[in-house]
């Protein structure tokens, strides 16, 4: 069965600090996709990144970076020089295309990490 | 390109009533998925539609149903509302709904059941 664990329920940092959000996943298959979404107070889930299980290269996009490590089943997300506008709930999610064709189309989400950036 | 739109944004209903929520996907997207988000259970998959057919359903009672129209717009219906149905209902669209597709979410409909 698929499972995504975000052990950090809440994180609070002061503006300009770096912060890392942890994500650990479980799946029995070798082919899968990982996602990060951001949910600001408005409620909409905003897509941030998608990574497939064959690509372990870390990625940087502006102040955001992602560290994917298959050996530890982790897909961590770092915000550098955090800003107040980064305050939101961040979700890690897993999609596994190798399970039955129906179930493959659903995302399994972690419980989310509430990030608060204080001015 | 316009994003996923959901109407209404807020709804207040009483127990026993039924409710219909609407979702318009991104233009060109043919797959629509619905998720329920509650503080206790988090984000849970409800169902997915493609070409007017339900392809996948989560573990929810039959009171939760949906449909998709030929223009890919989707509706979900909840009958005989219960207090526990109070939640944020999120709709997501993707091009063909494959497991490798990225799902793009709408702003959600916040349903309160009194």
């Amino acid at each position: 069965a698929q499972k995504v664990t975000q052990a950090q329920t809440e994180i609070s940092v002061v503006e300009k600090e770096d912060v890392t959000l942890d994500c650990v996943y479980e799946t029995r298959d070798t082919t899968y996709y990982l996602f990060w979404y951001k949910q600001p107070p408005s409620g909409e889930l905003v897509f941030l990144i998608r990574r497939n299980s064959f690509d372990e290269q870390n990625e940087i996009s502006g102040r955001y970076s992602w560290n994917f490590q298959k050996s530890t089943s982790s897909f961590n997300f770092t915000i550098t020089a955090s800003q107040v506008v980064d305050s939101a709930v961040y979700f890690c999610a897993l999609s596994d295309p190798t399970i039955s064709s129906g179930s493959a189309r659903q995302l399994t989400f972690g419980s989310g990490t509430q990030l608060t950036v204080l001015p | 390109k316009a994003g996923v739109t959901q109407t209404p944004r807020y709804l207040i209903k009483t127990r026993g009533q039924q409710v219909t929520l609407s979702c318009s996907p991104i233009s060109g997207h043919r797959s629509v998925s619905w998720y329920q988000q509650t503080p206790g259970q988090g984000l849970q998959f409800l169902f997915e539609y493609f070409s007017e057919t339900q392809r996948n359903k989560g573990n929810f009672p039959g009171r939760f149903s949906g449909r998709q129209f030929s223009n890919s717009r989707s509706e979900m219906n909840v009958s005989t509302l219960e207090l526990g149905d109070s939640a944020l209902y999120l709709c997501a669209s993707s091009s063909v709904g494959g497991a490798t597709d990225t799902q793009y979410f709408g702003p959600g409909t916040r349903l309160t059941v009194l």
Side-chain angles (χ1 to χ4, degrees):
Chain A
Q2 299 181 100
K3 187 178 178 183
V4 177
T5 301
Q6 293 180 255
Q8 303 153 309
T9 306
E10 295 182 27
I11 298 177
S12 184
V13 299
V14 176
E15 204 169 21
K16 296 184 184 174
E17 286 184 354
D18 298 348
V19 57
T20 296
L21 310 181
D22 298 332
C23 172
V24 174
Y25 60 92
E26 292 177 31
T27 178
R28 284 181 284 187
D29 293 289
T30 57
T31 302
Y32 49 88
Y33 290 76
L34 295 162
F35 302 80
W36 275 96
Y37 286 86
K38 171 183 178 180
Q39 187 176 42
S42 60
E44 179 175 350
L45 280 171
V46 178
F47 166 71
L48 296 176
I49 191 171
R50 182 183 84 177
R51 174 69 62 184
N52 73 58
S53 53
F54 297 113
D55 184 0
E56 288 193 70
Q57 273 194 343
N58 293 329
E59 181 160 337
I60 298 174
S61 176
R63 296 185 298 107
Y64 297 168
S65 62
W66 289 269
N67 182 0
F68 176 33
Q69 291 194 345
K70 242 172 142 174
S71 60
T72 56
S73 296
S74 65
F75 186 41
N76 297 336
F77 172 34
T78 297
I79 302 175
T80 303
S82 60
Q83 301 175 0
V84 173
V85 294
D86 295 328
S87 296
V89 181
Y90 290 84
F91 290 94
C92 181
L94 169 69
S95 173
D96 186 345
T98 59
I99 55 179
S100 66
S101 59
S103 300
R105 296 184 189 89
Q106 65 188 76
L107 290 172
T108 300
F109 284 90
S111 55
T113 298
Q114 170 72 60
L115 173 65
T116 302
V117 181
L118 302 169
Chain B
K1 238 184 204 182
V4 178
T5 58
Q6 292 186 245
T7 56
R9 293 293 311 277
Y10 301 91
L11 265 179
I12 299 176
K13 293 285 187 179
T14 56
R15 279 183 301 174
Q17 287 187 309
Q18 76 166 23
V19 66
T20 299
L21 313 181
S22 181
C23 171
S24 292
I26 291 171
S27 177
H29 283 190
R30 296 167 62 194
S31 168
V32 173
S33 296
W34 289 88
Y35 292 81
Q36 181 197 64
Q37 185 178 24
T38 59
Q41 300 298 317
L43 278 154
Q44 293 185 286
F45 173 77
L46 279 157
F47 27 64
E48 186 254 354
Y49 286 87
F50 178 80
S51 290
E52 302 176 65
T53 301
Q54 186 184 91
R55 294 195 297 189
N56 190 14
K57 185 170 168 40
N59 189 25
F60 278 83
R63 300 186 296 106
F64 291 82
S65 63
R67 59 177 176 167
Q68 186 181 35
F69 302 94
S70 58
N71 61 358
S72 295
R73 190 177 69 85
S74 176
E75 289 181 348
M76 68 162 280
N77 185 76
V78 188
S79 62
T80 320
L81 284 166
E82 300 176 1
L83 294 179
D85 297 333
S86 294
L88 179 66
Y89 290 88
L90 291 161
C91 166
S93 78
S94 62
S95 57
V96 293
T100 61
D101 287 349
T102 296
Q103 295 186 28
Y104 296 92
F105 286 80
T109 294
R110 187 164 295 281
L111 172 65
T112 302
V113 182
L114 302 175

